[in-house]
Amino acid sequence: MPRGRYALHDPHDHTPLAEEHFQCAPGPTGWRYVARRTTPTGEHTGSVDLTLDDLGRPLRLELHAGSWQVRGAALDGVTWVRTDPTGAHATEGTVRAHAFTGTSPAFLVATARLLRLTPSAAATRVRLVALTDPVLAPRTVDQSWALVDSEAHATDNGPLTVDTYQVTTLDTGEQHSVHIAGDVVLSAPGIELEDLESPPSTFA
């Protein structure tokens, strides 16, 4: 069961934004990721709880950021309920999308798991509902994912396969690379793996 810490920063000016203390593991239904968010000085700011099924679809999502909360799942696309800071008004949404995304590294692992790309495959288009900090407001984004490299690296615990994805945001044309080993993101824009207590899990 991987357990560790990601450092999250602004991808443009590298201003530190948060740390995400996580643990994740494959399970009987698929994969689960839980994490708590803190400021760089250690103050609690939110949490992530994401469970995928065997096909990589979101069985259950619960996000907290400040006083905001979102609960969601795959249902007629993806469906969610977003609660405001007072708790008095909840809004519901449903979009014909494949999954959720956001600032947590968990969403990159989830999208890669959902698409299951091979290095020889063409880029695949995916529609996602982005829930972004600080208020978890939903917006629909279209991306293109391609697996451009898959390389095994020798480690003390045996070979570790690192997959490199090229991700393109289709409405802007912006491209970036995402490096994933098993169920752990090694690096991506705004994300650095700072600490890992055990090797990444591998999916069957």
Side-chain angles (χ1 to χ4, degrees):
M1 177 185 295
R3 183 190 305 265
R5 175 172 50 87
Y6 291 110
L8 308 181
H9 58 265
D10 187 301
H12 303 292
D13 63 13
H14 300 284
T15 300
L17 299 177
E19 293 188 344
E20 189 160 303
H21 305 260
F22 73 94
Q23 62 184 48
C24 56
T29 59
W31 183 70
R32 187 178 183 197
Y33 178 101
V34 294
R36 60 182 178 86
R37 284 272 185 93
T38 64
T39 65
T41 58
E43 298 173 6
H44 179 77
T45 60
S47 62
V48 182
D49 190 341
L50 173 64
T51 301
L52 307 180
D53 67 10
D54 284 336
L55 298 177
R57 298 172 299 191
L59 274 180
R60 177 179 175 273
L61 170 66
E62 185 168 328
L63 289 181
H64 292 263
S67 300
W68 295 90
Q69 174 181 293
V70 169
R71 287 190 173 100
L75 182 67
D76 295 328
V78 293
T79 298
W80 67 90
V81 175
R82 177 174 175 265
T83 305
D84 66 291
T86 66
H89 304 285
T91 56
E92 298 183 10
T94 300
V95 170
R96 289 286 183 180
H98 298 93
F100 296 99
T101 191
T103 55
S104 172
F107 294 115
L108 297 175
V109 176
T111 302
R113 178 65 176 159
L114 177 71
L115 298 178
R116 302 188 189 207
L117 301 174
T118 60
S120 60
T124 298
R125 179 171 175 155
V126 61
R127 173 161 289 182
L128 304 167
V129 172
L131 302 164
T132 53
D133 300 331
V135 296
L136 304 180
R139 65 184 181 91
T140 304
V141 297
D142 291 306
Q143 294 180 340
S144 172
W145 280 60
L147 178 58
V148 297
D149 188 41
S150 185
E151 185 176 355
H153 298 265
T155 71
D156 293 340
N157 298 299
L160 179 69
T161 299
V162 177
D163 294 326
T164 300
Y165 296 89
Q166 180 176 281
V167 180
T168 304
T169 303
L170 295 179
D171 62 346
T172 64
E174 181 181 0
Q175 293 185 342
H176 61 268
S177 295
V178 174
H179 304 275
I180 298 176
D183 58 355
V184 172
V185 176
L186 302 181
S187 67
I191 298 169
E192 293 294 336
L193 180 64
E194 292 283 302
D195 182 51
L196 186 64
E197 296 180 9
S198 57
S201 300
T202 56
F203 293 107

